[in-house]
Amino acid sequence: MDPRYSAQDVVLCTLCQTSVAPMYCEVWHIHLCKDCVENHLSDSSQVHKVVSLKQYWATLNYPKCRKHPTKQCELHCEECDVPICSLCISGEHLRHKPVDISEIINEKKDNLQRELEELEKFILPRYEEIASNLSVQKAELSENSQKLTAAIDKQGEIWSKEIEFIIKSLKTNVDEMEFEHLAVLDKQEDELTHTFSQITKCVAELRKLLNSKDVCLVSEYKSRNAEFRELPPKLKVSLPNFSPQEINTDQLIKQFGSLSALSFTTEKQDYSMPPQGAESSPLDRSLIDVPQVITAIDTEYGDILGVTCLNDAEIWTRGSNNKIKLYNLHGELVNSIQTKSGNEPGDISVTKNGELVYTDYNDGTVNIMKNTQIKTVIRLQGWKPLNVCSTSSGDHLVVMESDNNDDDDDDDDDDDDDKQTKVVRYSGSTEKQSIQYNDEVQPLYSSGGDKYISENRNLDICVSDSGAGAVVVVNQAGKLRFSYTGFSTTILFDPYGITTDSQSRILIADNMNDCIHILDQDGQFLCFIDNCDLVYPCGLCVDTKDNLFVAERGTGKVKKIKC
């Protein structure tokens, strides 16, 4: 259908507002359904001109010619870019090239239609998205304020407990010092009481002797005055006092905790014209708080190793046999193919055209399936392909290791140490790029262990290197951007499958710890997925809606997770 006339399918009658209106009154400029046409024409006192809506759109109102007022401009001068009539051709536009004005109008209406579609499909959704983000920010603002208030209250409670403890400790010290001081005073008081008793006894005895005539008693008396002349030591006491510290509010605030400053920045949002035929621009998709398992697909693999999305409804899988199987989301087997050599596939990927790609380690090949026919596109010499991913440009990125095999099996460990690992970009069967060393000519990748690879939306190349316990990310030119070795220095990071989503986030399967690490495109840790009962997660992929598919080595299942 001509897009210029598509509006007629949705226009409602101006009068009844319920029925589709295939007619139009050019005098009153109203849309009419068949039932309302008769009512509209019944008023004979008014002029009407009812035509079909298609005829209305097909009939042009030609402008009057400025040079020849009696003529209509049914032509257009391309050189002067103005409407002209048939008489103008023999005048000032004699040697100019005229075209039918309807062609110009149709072209302009096509442009208008494209502008309308851009506004409705691309620009307006962006504004709606921005408005929606503002609502989310308002909700986050309220939630953040509540968190801040709760944190301040909690700190206040901690300080209250600390202050209560300090007060209680000081009071306890006061009680202990009082008890100690009282014990000293009591002891001195007891000694004085005893001395008082002795002195009183001596006084009484002396008085008796002074009144006595007994010579023996008087002569036998022994003086104790020298003993009593030595007075008890004077007890000097320095009584404790309390010295309250002056409250330094600034220091107190620093010790209690402070709020970071509220800042506002604006970031320019670029808008680029969508490519022709594009249906929509990618929307920002935030991670949900609690990831959810949407479905779990049972495969027939005892040891499933990889998964890749063919589309949003079907997934290719590989395991420890020579079969590559296609399942739908209901767990039904849609297709099953055997590798060309009969060997176990090293890895699988899907091109942007939906073609299956797989590596064959023992055969040293990379193969692609087109219309049920398997074709070898890359055959390596001296190297063995490990893993592969198909890029947005249609290239293939292949992780490979050097082929150090010999007849002496006892030297396998030494061979592993001597192996080299690199990533090679191929366009078809032509090598375009080799990535192996950093700027200091040190190997980027370990010589052993499993490797998985993915291309990010920003064209970074992300390799999960279980041998190194790291994820190594280089840019499109092969320069090292960062290396991620896990969230904790105390927990061994065991990276296997790796994939990226529409927001350039990097998702890594941590096989040993039964979780998924999520990073931003610059390697900053964002969160874990550790609540979905994962059992030895291995292969990963995402669909166009950023749903995550996890191949569980421990159960033989593929879990679809909304995250």
Side-chain angles (χ1 to χ4, degrees), residues 505-528:
R505 292 182 289 248
I506 305 169
L507 298 90
I508 311 114
D510 190 337
N511 186 261
M512 182 178 296
N513 297 299
D514 295 336
C515 66
I516 308 296
H517 298 236
I518 303 181
L519 317 178
D520 67 14
Q521 67 179 11
D522 297 316
Q524 297 300 310
F525 175 82
L526 298 177
C527 63
F528 288 117

PDB file of all heavy atoms in Angstrom, residues 505-528:
ATOM      1  N   ARG A 505      27.522  -4.644  28.399  1.00  0.00           N
ATOM      2  CA  ARG A 505      27.926  -5.312  29.634  1.00  0.00           C
ATOM      3  C   ARG A 505      28.553  -6.670  29.298  1.00  0.00           C
ATOM      4  O   ARG A 505      28.183  -7.308  28.321  1.00  0.00           O
ATOM      5  CB  ARG A 505      26.727  -5.486  30.565  1.00  0.00           C
ATOM      6  CG  ARG A 505      26.197  -4.177  31.135  1.00  0.00           C
ATOM      7  CD  ARG A 505      25.045  -4.416  32.086  1.00  0.00           C
ATOM      8  NE  ARG A 505      23.849  -4.844  31.408  1.00  0.00           N
ATOM      9  CZ  ARG A 505      22.734  -4.123  31.315  1.00  0.00           C
ATOM     10  NH1 ARG A 505      22.671  -2.921  31.858  1.00  0.00           N
ATOM     11  NH2 ARG A 505      21.674  -4.610  30.698  1.00  0.00           N
ATOM     12  N   ILE A 506      29.506  -7.090  30.122  1.00  0.00           N
ATOM     13  CA  ILE A 506      30.215  -8.350  29.914  1.00  0.00           C
ATOM     14  C   ILE A 506      29.762  -9.333  30.978  1.00  0.00           C
ATOM     15  O   ILE A 506      29.821  -9.033  32.174  1.00  0.00           O
ATOM     16  CB  ILE A 506      31.737  -8.140  29.987  1.00  0.00           C
ATOM     17  CG1 ILE A 506      32.178  -7.056  28.991  1.00  0.00           C
ATOM     18  CG2 ILE A 506      32.474  -9.439  29.720  1.00  0.00           C
ATOM     19  CD1 ILE A 506      33.617  -6.608  29.183  1.00  0.00           C
ATOM     20  N   LEU A 507      29.290 -10.503  30.559  1.00  0.00           N
ATOM     21  CA  LEU A 507      28.795 -11.527  31.479  1.00  0.00           C
ATOM     22  C   LEU A 507      29.706 -12.736  31.391  1.00  0.00           C
ATOM     23  O   LEU A 507      30.002 -13.223  30.297  1.00  0.00           O
ATOM     24  CB  LEU A 507      27.354 -11.916  31.145  1.00  0.00           C
ATOM     25  CG  LEU A 507      26.307 -10.797  31.262  1.00  0.00           C
ATOM     26  CD1 LEU A 507      26.168 -10.051  29.939  1.00  0.00           C
ATOM     27  CD2 LEU A 507      24.951 -11.337  31.672  1.00  0.00           C
ATOM     28  N   ILE A 508      30.179 -13.222  32.557  1.00  0.00           N
ATOM     29  CA  ILE A 508      31.144 -14.315  32.603  1.00  0.00           C
ATOM     30  C   ILE A 508      30.628 -15.410  33.524  1.00  0.00           C
ATOM     31  O   ILE A 508      30.213 -15.146  34.654  1.00  0.00           O
ATOM     32  CB  ILE A 508      32.521 -13.841  33.120  1.00  0.00           C
ATOM     33  CG1 ILE A 508      32.978 -12.579  32.384  1.00  0.00           C
ATOM     34  CG2 ILE A 508      33.553 -14.939  32.982  1.00  0.00           C
ATOM     35  CD1 ILE A 508      33.067 -11.367  33.255  1.00  0.00           C
ATOM     36  N   ALA A 509      30.674 -16.650  33.045  1.00  0.00           N
ATOM     37  CA  ALA A 509      30.307 -17.802  33.874  1.00  0.00           C
ATOM     38  C   ALA A 509      31.482 -18.155  34.779  1.00  0.00           C
ATOM     39  O   ALA A 509      32.588 -18.398  34.304  1.00  0.00           O
ATOM     40  CB  ALA A 509      29.937 -18.990  32.995  1.00  0.00           C
ATOM     41  N   ASP A 510      31.237 -18.171  36.097  1.00  0.00           N
ATOM     42  CA  ASP A 510      32.237 -18.593  37.075  1.00  0.00           C
ATOM     43  C   ASP A 510      31.911 -20.037  37.438  1.00  0.00           C
ATOM     44  O   ASP A 510      31.064 -20.304  38.286  1.00  0.00           O
ATOM     45  CB  ASP A 510      32.184 -17.673  38.302  1.00  0.00           C
ATOM     46  CG  ASP A 510      33.352 -17.911  39.243  1.00  0.00           C
ATOM     47  OD1 ASP A 510      33.929 -19.009  39.219  1.00  0.00           O
ATOM     48  OD2 ASP A 510      33.666 -17.004  40.031  1.00  0.00           O
ATOM     49  N   ASN A 511      32.576 -20.979  36.777  1.00  0.00           N
ATOM     50  CA  ASN A 511      32.217 -22.384  36.848  1.00  0.00           C
ATOM     51  C   ASN A 511      32.307 -22.936  38.260  1.00  0.00           C
ATOM     52  O   ASN A 511      31.401 -23.609  38.742  1.00  0.00           O
ATOM     53  CB  ASN A 511      33.120 -23.172  35.896  1.00  0.00           C
ATOM     54  CG  ASN A 511      32.736 -24.631  35.795  1.00  0.00           C
ATOM     55  OD1 ASN A 511      33.335 -25.491  36.427  1.00  0.00           O
ATOM     56  ND2 ASN A 511      31.736 -24.929  34.983  1.00  0.00           N
ATOM     57  N   MET A 512      33.393 -22.653  38.941  1.00  0.00           N
ATOM     58  CA  MET A 512      33.624 -23.244  40.258  1.00  0.00           C
ATOM     59  C   MET A 512      32.696 -22.662  41.319  1.00  0.00           C
ATOM     60  O   MET A 512      32.251 -23.365  42.234  1.00  0.00           O
ATOM     61  CB  MET A 512      35.084 -23.039  40.671  1.00  0.00           C
ATOM     62  CG  MET A 512      35.446 -23.660  42.005  1.00  0.00           C
ATOM     63  SD  MET A 512      37.197 -23.414  42.404  1.00  0.00           S
ATOM     64  CE  MET A 512      37.969 -24.354  41.089  1.00  0.00           C
ATOM     65  N   ASN A 513      32.359 -21.360  41.177  1.00  0.00           N
ATOM     66  CA  ASN A 513      31.578 -20.688  42.210  1.00  0.00           C
ATOM     67  C   ASN A 513      30.089 -20.595  41.875  1.00  0.00           C
ATOM     68  O   ASN A 513      29.335 -19.918  42.578  1.00  0.00           O
ATOM     69  CB  ASN A 513      32.151 -19.288  42.452  1.00  0.00           C
ATOM     70  CG  ASN A 513      33.576 -19.344  42.969  1.00  0.00           C
ATOM     71  OD1 ASN A 513      33.844 -19.895  44.029  1.00  0.00           O
ATOM     72  ND2 ASN A 513      34.507 -18.805  42.204  1.00  0.00           N
ATOM     73  N   ASP A 514      29.675 -21.255  40.792  1.00  0.00           N
ATOM     74  CA  ASP A 514      28.243 -21.357  40.441  1.00  0.00           C
ATOM     75  C   ASP A 514      27.557 -20.010  40.363  1.00  0.00           C
ATOM     76  O   ASP A 514      26.485 -19.805  40.932  1.00  0.00           O
ATOM     77  CB  ASP A 514      27.506 -22.255  41.443  1.00  0.00           C
ATOM     78  CG  ASP A 514      27.989 -23.690  41.388  1.00  0.00           C
ATOM     79  OD1 ASP A 514      28.516 -24.109  40.335  1.00  0.00           O
ATOM     80  OD2 ASP A 514      27.852 -24.393  42.394  1.00  0.00           O
ATOM     81  N   CYS A 515      28.176 -19.065  39.666  1.00  0.00           N
ATOM     82  CA  CYS A 515      27.573 -17.738  39.549  1.00  0.00           C
ATOM     83  C   CYS A 515      27.998 -17.091  38.238  1.00  0.00           C
ATOM     84  O   CYS A 515      28.844 -17.620  37.510  1.00  0.00           O
ATOM     85  CB  CYS A 515      27.945 -16.848  40.739  1.00  0.00           C
ATOM     86  SG  CYS A 515      29.703 -16.441  40.821  1.00  0.00           S
ATOM     87  N   ILE A 516      27.391 -15.953  37.943  1.00  0.00           N
ATOM     88  CA  ILE A 516      27.722 -15.169  36.759  1.00  0.00           C
ATOM     89  C   ILE A 516      28.212 -13.804  37.219  1.00  0.00           C
ATOM     90  O   ILE A 516      27.542 -13.134  38.013  1.00  0.00           O
ATOM     91  CB  ILE A 516      26.485 -14.984  35.833  1.00  0.00           C
ATOM     92  CG1 ILE A 516      25.830 -16.331  35.523  1.00  0.00           C
ATOM     93  CG2 ILE A 516      26.886 -14.249  34.559  1.00  0.00           C
ATOM     94  CD1 ILE A 516      26.667 -17.288  34.744  1.00  0.00           C
ATOM     95  N   HIS A 517      29.386 -13.371  36.750  1.00  0.00           N
ATOM     96  CA  HIS A 517      29.891 -12.028  37.019  1.00  0.00           C
ATOM     97  C   HIS A 517      29.411 -11.095  35.900  1.00  0.00           C
ATOM     98  O   HIS A 517      29.449 -11.462  34.726  1.00  0.00           O
ATOM     99  CB  HIS A 517      31.424 -12.004  37.045  1.00  0.00           C
ATOM    100  CG  HIS A 517      32.032 -12.849  38.114  1.00  0.00           C
ATOM    101  ND1 HIS A 517      32.897 -12.345  39.053  1.00  0.00           N
ATOM    102  CD2 HIS A 517      31.914 -14.166  38.399  1.00  0.00           C
ATOM    103  CE1 HIS A 517      33.292 -13.317  39.856  1.00  0.00           C
ATOM    104  NE2 HIS A 517      32.701 -14.437  39.474  1.00  0.00           N
ATOM    105  N   ILE A 518      28.979  -9.896  36.263  1.00  0.00           N
ATOM    106  CA  ILE A 518      28.577  -8.908  35.264  1.00  0.00           C
ATOM    107  C   ILE A 518      29.445  -7.664  35.432  1.00  0.00           C
ATOM    108  O   ILE A 518      29.521  -7.090  36.520  1.00  0.00           O
ATOM    109  CB  ILE A 518      27.083  -8.540  35.390  1.00  0.00           C
ATOM    110  CG1 ILE A 518      26.211  -9.802  35.268  1.00  0.00           C
ATOM    111  CG2 ILE A 518      26.691  -7.527  34.313  1.00  0.00           C
ATOM    112  CD1 ILE A 518      24.718  -9.535  35.359  1.00  0.00           C
ATOM    113  N   LEU A 519      30.110  -7.253  34.339  1.00  0.00           N
ATOM    114  CA  LEU A 519      30.976  -6.077  34.328  1.00  0.00           C
ATOM    115  C   LEU A 519      30.419  -5.063  33.345  1.00  0.00           C
ATOM    116  O   LEU A 519      29.671  -5.413  32.426  1.00  0.00           O
ATOM    117  CB  LEU A 519      32.402  -6.441  33.891  1.00  0.00           C
ATOM    118  CG  LEU A 519      33.043  -7.717  34.441  1.00  0.00           C
ATOM    119  CD1 LEU A 519      34.432  -7.880  33.835  1.00  0.00           C
ATOM    120  CD2 LEU A 519      33.124  -7.677  35.950  1.00  0.00           C
ATOM    121  N   ASP A 520      30.813  -3.793  33.517  1.00  0.00           N
ATOM    122  CA  ASP A 520      30.515  -2.835  32.460  1.00  0.00           C
ATOM    123  C   ASP A 520      31.608  -2.942  31.396  1.00  0.00           C
ATOM    124  O   ASP A 520      32.556  -3.728  31.529  1.00  0.00           O
ATOM    125  CB  ASP A 520      30.349  -1.411  32.998  1.00  0.00           C
ATOM    126  CG  ASP A 520      31.653  -0.821  33.549  1.00  0.00           C
ATOM    127  OD1 ASP A 520      32.732  -1.386  33.295  1.00  0.00           O
ATOM    128  OD2 ASP A 520      31.593   0.216  34.236  1.00  0.00           O
ATOM    129  N   GLN A 521      31.490  -2.170  30.329  1.00  0.00           N
ATOM    130  CA  GLN A 521      32.414  -2.317  29.206  1.00  0.00           C
ATOM    131  C   GLN A 521      33.839  -1.910  29.552  1.00  0.00           C
ATOM    132  O   GLN A 521      34.775  -2.220  28.808  1.00  0.00           O
ATOM    133  CB  GLN A 521      31.923  -1.497  28.015  1.00  0.00           C
ATOM    134  CG  GLN A 521      31.951   0.006  28.239  1.00  0.00           C
ATOM    135  CD  GLN A 521      31.486   0.769  27.017  1.00  0.00           C
ATOM    136  OE1 GLN A 521      30.955   0.204  26.079  1.00  0.00           O
ATOM    137  NE2 GLN A 521      31.682   2.069  27.036  1.00  0.00           N
ATOM    138  N   ASP A 522      34.029  -1.219  30.697  1.00  0.00           N
ATOM    139  CA  ASP A 522      35.364  -0.815  31.122  1.00  0.00           C
ATOM    140  C   ASP A 522      35.928  -1.717  32.210  1.00  0.00           C
ATOM    141  O   ASP A 522      36.948  -1.394  32.829  1.00  0.00           O
ATOM    142  CB  ASP A 522      35.329   0.638  31.618  1.00  0.00           C
ATOM    143  CG  ASP A 522      34.939   1.604  30.514  1.00  0.00           C
ATOM    144  OD1 ASP A 522      35.451   1.459  29.390  1.00  0.00           O
ATOM    145  OD2 ASP A 522      34.099   2.480  30.777  1.00  0.00           O
ATOM    146  N   GLY A 523      35.254  -2.840  32.470  1.00  0.00           N
ATOM    147  CA  GLY A 523      35.780  -3.817  33.418  1.00  0.00           C
ATOM    148  C   GLY A 523      35.398  -3.582  34.853  1.00  0.00           C
ATOM    149  O   GLY A 523      35.910  -4.269  35.750  1.00  0.00           O
ATOM    150  N   GLN A 524      34.493  -2.620  35.130  1.00  0.00           N
ATOM    151  CA  GLN A 524      34.055  -2.374  36.495  1.00  0.00           C
ATOM    152  C   GLN A 524      32.997  -3.390  36.887  1.00  0.00           C
ATOM    153  O   GLN A 524      32.022  -3.601  36.165  1.00  0.00           O
ATOM    154  CB  GLN A 524      33.497  -0.955  36.637  1.00  0.00           C
ATOM    155  CG  GLN A 524      34.529   0.126  36.374  1.00  0.00           C
ATOM    156  CD  GLN A 524      35.697   0.043  37.333  1.00  0.00           C
ATOM    157  OE1 GLN A 524      35.524  -0.029  38.552  1.00  0.00           O
ATOM    158  NE2 GLN A 524      36.907   0.051  36.788  1.00  0.00           N
ATOM    159  N   PHE A 525      33.192  -4.045  38.041  1.00  0.00           N
ATOM    160  CA  PHE A 525      32.240  -5.052  38.507  1.00  0.00           C
ATOM    161  C   PHE A 525      30.895  -4.397  38.839  1.00  0.00           C
ATOM    162  O   PHE A 525      30.843  -3.383  39.526  1.00  0.00           O
ATOM    163  CB  PHE A 525      32.806  -5.750  39.746  1.00  0.00           C
ATOM    164  CG  PHE A 525      31.846  -6.720  40.383  1.00  0.00           C
ATOM    165  CD1 PHE A 525      31.701  -8.003  39.881  1.00  0.00           C
ATOM    166  CD2 PHE A 525      31.087  -6.334  41.472  1.00  0.00           C
ATOM    167  CE1 PHE A 525      30.822  -8.893  40.467  1.00  0.00           C
ATOM    168  CE2 PHE A 525      30.209  -7.217  42.065  1.00  0.00           C
ATOM    169  CZ  PHE A 525      30.082  -8.500  41.553  1.00  0.00           C
ATOM    170  N   LEU A 526      29.815  -4.985  38.336  1.00  0.00           N
ATOM    171  CA  LEU A 526      28.478  -4.462  38.596  1.00  0.00           C
ATOM    172  C   LEU A 526      27.723  -5.323  39.601  1.00  0.00           C
ATOM    173  O   LEU A 526      27.211  -4.812  40.596  1.00  0.00           O
ATOM    174  CB  LEU A 526      27.669  -4.386  37.288  1.00  0.00           C
ATOM    175  CG  LEU A 526      28.226  -3.447  36.211  1.00  0.00           C
ATOM    176  CD1 LEU A 526      27.382  -3.523  34.942  1.00  0.00           C
ATOM    177  CD2 LEU A 526      28.288  -2.009  36.719  1.00  0.00           C
ATOM    178  N   CYS A 527      27.662  -6.627  39.365  1.00  0.00           N
ATOM    179  CA  CYS A 527      26.912  -7.495  40.274  1.00  0.00           C
ATOM    180  C   CYS A 527      27.160  -8.958  39.916  1.00  0.00           C
ATOM    181  O   CYS A 527      27.819  -9.278  38.926  1.00  0.00           O
ATOM    182  CB  CYS A 527      25.413  -7.182  40.221  1.00  0.00           C
ATOM    183  SG  CYS A 527      24.668  -7.482  38.603  1.00  0.00           S
ATOM    184  N   PHE A 528      26.603  -9.849  40.771  1.00  0.00           N
ATOM    185  CA  PHE A 528      26.606 -11.280  40.513  1.00  0.00           C
ATOM    186  C   PHE A 528      25.193 -11.730  40.149  1.00  0.00           C
ATOM    187  O   PHE A 528      24.207 -11.115  40.545  1.00  0.00           O
ATOM    188  CB  PHE A 528      27.008 -12.076  41.765  1.00  0.00           C
ATOM    189  CG  PHE A 528      28.447 -11.992  42.144  1.00  0.00           C
ATOM    190  CD1 PHE A 528      28.823 -11.431  43.343  1.00  0.00           C
ATOM    191  CD2 PHE A 528      29.430 -12.515  41.318  1.00  0.00           C
ATOM    192  CE1 PHE A 528      30.147 -11.375  43.717  1.00  0.00           C
ATOM    193  CE2 PHE A 528      30.751 -12.472  41.683  1.00  0.00           C
ATOM    194  CZ  PHE A 528      31.119 -11.884  42.884  1.00  0.00           C
TER     195      PHE A 528
END
